[in-house]
Amino acid sequence: MKVNYYTLSLGLLGAAKLILNAFGLDLIQDDTVNAIANGVAAVLSIVGVYANHQKSE
C-alpha cells in the first residue's frame, strides 16, 4: 500500500483545526488552510501534467 503524504498532511491539518476550534482556540485560520491546500494542489497539478507528458523509452 502506498501512502499519499500530500493528502494525509492536508487532512491532518484540517483535523488539527477542527480539534483546536472545539477547545476554543482559533490558531489556524480558514484562509491559511485554503492557501496551503491551493498551493499543494497547484504544485501537484504541474507535476502531474509534466509527468504525463514524458516520453517513455
Side-chain angles (χ1 to χ4, degrees):
M1 183 170 78
K2 186 175 179 182
V3 178
N4 188 344
Y5 292 106
Y6 299 110
T7 56
L8 178 63
S9 61
L10 291 175
L12 291 175
L13 180 64
K17 180 185 179 341
L18 289 174
I19 291 168
L20 290 173
N21 283 349
F23 288 106
L25 300 171
D26 196 18
L27 299 176
I28 304 172
Q29 302 296 322
D30 287 339
D31 294 340
T32 304
V33 175
N34 289 338
I36 293 170
N38 288 339
V40 170
V43 169
L44 291 178
S45 295
I46 293 169
V47 169
V49 168
Y50 181 74
N52 285 333
H53 287 86
Q54 294 294 315
K55 290 183 180 179
S56 53
E57 296 181 38

